[in-house]
Amino acid sequence: MPRQSPSVPRRARNDLRQYDDLAHTWWDPYGPFCSLHWLARSRAKLVPAAPPEGGRLLDVGCGGGLLAPHVHGYEHVGVDLSDAGLAVAADHGIEAVKADAADLPFDDASFDVVVAGEILEHVTDLDATVAEALRVLRPGGTFVCDTINDTLLARIVLVTLGERIHGGPPPACHDPALFVDPERLQRLCAAGGVALEVHGIRPQPLRFAAFALGRRTTVEMVRTRSLATVYQGVGVKSGARL
Ligand SMILES: C[S@@+](CC[C@H](N)C(=O)[O-])C[C@H]1O[C@@H](n2cnc3c(N)ncnc32)[C@H](O)[C@@H]1O
């Protein structure tokens, strides 16, 4: 059953213009990005409390700014390539900057926290994207990410099935060729000074069923032992605080 409105153009897999096409739906809890709301809330739990004097948080691939309601006390800067997404993020209090995640326009060590939520599986230069995220993170700062593993199960659950069910990703959102092996991600993070701890996450099944029946607007994400589909990572950058 097609999930996409006929007014939305058909795009190739991972064509980033999809984020402009769908920008009006970012904050719809039942819209095509609904699962990103659940993930943003879960991701925010890995972000340390802001220091009393405040801090700077970079949200790489911020999209429509869904992380904004869940993090407090930070100057929240978001980068993205989607103009329409950045406009929505700015409306939700994010300092929106148009930039490629692989070439960030920020000084070294200029953020206390760098978050990369559901973007790493969309970039064509993963090495540069991770290197840039960790370059701008200060020593002692925290890197938080979530992404999709490069497994057959992830392809089945998130592409073959997921794109056909309400609560899954929008059609053609992902190119499975870009899915991210966690060991590769950990190696890239280690090269940038971050020992990344990873754990799997999935929607809580009963809550997901209630969402699918229209009885809930959100679904809690819970941890799993398996990294085979969606996983989160968190780590602190080595070195003394500058
Ligand atoms: C799946 S969305 C995730 C958005 C947000 N992080 C969230 O979880 O709600 C991926 C976002 O990454 C952005 N993106 C993809 N490739 C990018 C790149 N190379 N540089 C900056 N943003 C990028 C897209 O425009 C899109 O807004």
Side-chain angles (χ1 to χ4, degrees):
M1 185 170 52
R3 292 177 52 217
Q4 204 82 292
S5 152
S7 62
V8 174
R10 289 171 78 94
R11 303 281 190 195
R13 291 205 163 273
N14 197 48
D15 182 331
L16 298 188
R17 288 175 297 178
Q18 293 177 63
Y19 297 103
D20 291 323
D21 301 337
L22 296 173
H24 60 288
T25 70
W26 270 113
W27 286 82
D28 178 353
Y30 285 113
F33 295 128
C34 57
S35 60
L36 291 178
H37 290 243
W38 319 334
L39 286 159
R41 195 167 58 160
S42 170
R43 182 183 312 134
K45 293 179 181 156
L46 301 177
V47 172
E53 69 276 17
R56 296 186 83 213
L57 180 150
L58 178 64
D59 190 349
V60 183
C62 63
L66 301 183
L67 188 63
H70 307 293
V71 291
H72 307 284
Y74 286 101
E75 177 190 346
H76 188 162
V77 180
V79 298
D80 207 288
L81 287 172
S82 163
D83 288 311
L86 287 167
V88 175
D91 283 345
H92 289 82
I94 290 180
E95 190 180 320
V97 177
K98 185 169 186 178
D100 188 331
D103 186 16
L104 295 173
F106 305 113
D107 290 340
D108 294 358
S110 52
F111 289 91
D112 302 284
V113 178
V114 175
V115 178
E118 299 300 308
I119 176 179
L120 299 176
E121 71 276 20
H122 294 283
V123 298
T124 50
D125 191 343
L126 181 68
D127 295 29
T129 300
V130 174
E132 279 293 89
L134 302 185
R135 176 185 66 76
V136 303
L137 180 65
R138 70 164 169 81
T142 301
F143 178 61
V144 173
C145 62
D146 44 78
T147 187
I148 300 176
N149 199 345
D150 182 18
T151 62
L152 177 62
L153 185 65
R155 290 173 188 230
I156 293 170
V157 171
L158 291 155
V159 179
T160 313
L161 297 177
E163 291 185 0
R164 290 175 170 78
I165 61 166
H166 183 46
C173 176
H174 292 118
D175 175 358
L178 299 175
F179 285 178
V180 179
D181 174 68
E183 289 183 7
R184 178 182 175 205
L185 181 57
Q186 286 176 311
R187 280 196 300 277
L188 294 174
C189 286
V194 170
L196 193 75
E197 290 179 17
V198 292
H199 55 263
I201 49 170
R202 62 168 167 74
Q204 205 280 343
L206 292 177
R207 300 285 162 82
F208 184 80
F211 168 84
L213 292 170
R215 296 198 180 138
R216 290 182 68 89
T217 56
T218 191
V219 178
E220 287 73 19
M221 301 299 291
V222 293
R223 290 195 182 200
T224 68
R225 293 215 320 229
S226 169
L227 296 178
T229 56
V230 181
Y231 63 97
Q232 290 177 323
V234 62
V236 172
K237 186 170 174 179
S238 59
R241 182 171 185 163
L242 294 178

